[in-house]
Amino acid sequence: DAGITQSPRHKVTETGTPVTLRCHQTENHRYMYWYRQDPGHGLRLIHYSYGVKDTDKGEVSDGYSVSRSKTEDFLLTLESATSSQTSVYFCAISEDPGSGELFFGEGSRLTVL
Amino acid sequence: KNEVEQSPQNLTAQEGEFITINCSYSVGISALHWLQQHPGGGIVSLFMLSSGKKKHGRLIATINIQEKHSSLHITASHPRDSAVYICAVCRTDKLIFGTGTRLQVFP
């Protein structure tokens, strides 16, 4: 199994509080992605990174920020959580999504009350 | 209209049946991925395709680049194949996902 871990796996928080989710990989893969999965919507891209300090927005990036200061870590931050951000968040990694395999973390379930 | 469409959305089958799940896309891509997600579980990669056909055990995946279409076949289906199957296309480093096909295989 690819070395990819997400933390925390479960979190309950209140509206307006900041939240940071961490994705850690031991594969030294270049690409890292953050997705959210909601019923009826499938997986939607929030942000992704194609190298240290190189990030780009996805289709649902509003209200989220990311940072990648090291190859192995990709952080997703909700500056002020809202109930609409209640979701399951998945991290994915790949050396090259156009020619290589994808590996997913186990998911982080976030509930914003 | 979604850039990646899967059909059917839901599928039920009896054990042993041959299963086909379809994925159509409307954009230029460099690769297409088939993924599997068990209920309450994580997501695992089944195949990465850029052309032709791949086979792994009872699973077969094909892609027709000209027609912008891919299929995932499961031969001799088994209850443990019950899962959501997700198609994802790679376009300029970004992955675009279909909404998935929920498969239930009954004994």
Side-chain angles (χ1 to χ4, degrees), chain A residues 5 9 26 34 46-47 49 61 66 70 78 81 85 97 102 104:
Chain A
T5 55
R9 294 288 314 283
T26 57
W34 275 110
I46 305 171
H47 284 278
S49 170
S61 60
V66 289
K70 299 184 289 185
L78 291 66
Q85 293 175 311
L102 295 173
F104 285 81

Side-chain angles (χ1 to χ4, degrees), chain A residues 31 33 35 37 40-45 48 50 56-58 90 96-106, chain B residues 30-33 35 37 40-46 48 50 86 88 90 92-100:
Chain A
Y31 290 87
Y33 301 84
Y35 293 92
Q37 187 177 42
H41 288 280
L43 286 154
R44 291 182 291 173
L45 178 65
Y48 75 105
Y50 47 95
D56 203 355
K57 295 179 180 181
F90 283 94
D96 180 352
S99 62
E101 196 171 349
L102 295 173
F103 301 96
F104 285 81
E106 294 179 319
Chain B
S30 55
L32 182 144
H33 298 260
L35 310 166
Q37 185 175 27
I43 302 168
V44 296
S45 175
L46 298 175
M48 190 283 294
S50 55
I86 303 168
C90 180
T92 58
D93 298 347
K94 292 185 181 180
L95 294 160
I96 307 168
F97 290 79
T99 54

Side-chain angles (χ1 to χ4, degrees), chain B residues 29-78:
Chain B
I29 68 170
S30 55
L32 182 144
H33 298 260
W34 280 104
L35 310 166
Q36 180 192 57
Q37 185 175 27
H38 282 286
I43 302 168
V44 296
S45 175
L46 298 175
F47 295 103
M48 190 283 294
L49 295 160
S50 55
S51 65
K53 176 180 175 179
K54 287 188 176 179
K55 185 176 187 290
H56 181 68
R58 294 180 295 105
L59 301 178
I60 303 166
T62 64
I63 188 168
N64 185 317
I65 297 293
Q66 287 73 31
E67 294 185 3
K68 293 186 167 59
H69 181 268
S70 176
S71 293
L72 176 68
H73 305 286
I74 305 174
T75 63
S77 59
H78 190 277

Side-chain angles (χ1 to χ4, degrees), chain A residues 32-82:
Chain A
M32 299 186 77
Y33 301 84
W34 275 110
Y35 293 92
R36 59 179 290 174
Q37 187 177 42
D38 304 289
H41 288 280
L43 286 154
R44 291 182 291 173
L45 178 65
I46 305 171
H47 284 278
Y48 75 105
S49 170
Y50 47 95
V52 173
K53 296 185 180 177
D54 292 322
T55 65
D56 203 355
K57 295 179 180 181
E59 60 183 307
V60 291
S61 60
D62 287 348
Y64 301 94
S65 63
V66 289
S67 66
R68 192 172 179 196
S69 58
K70 299 184 289 185
T71 298
E72 58 265 36
D73 288 324
F74 192 34
L75 304 180
L76 176 70
T77 298
L78 291 66
E79 300 290 348
S80 178
T82 67

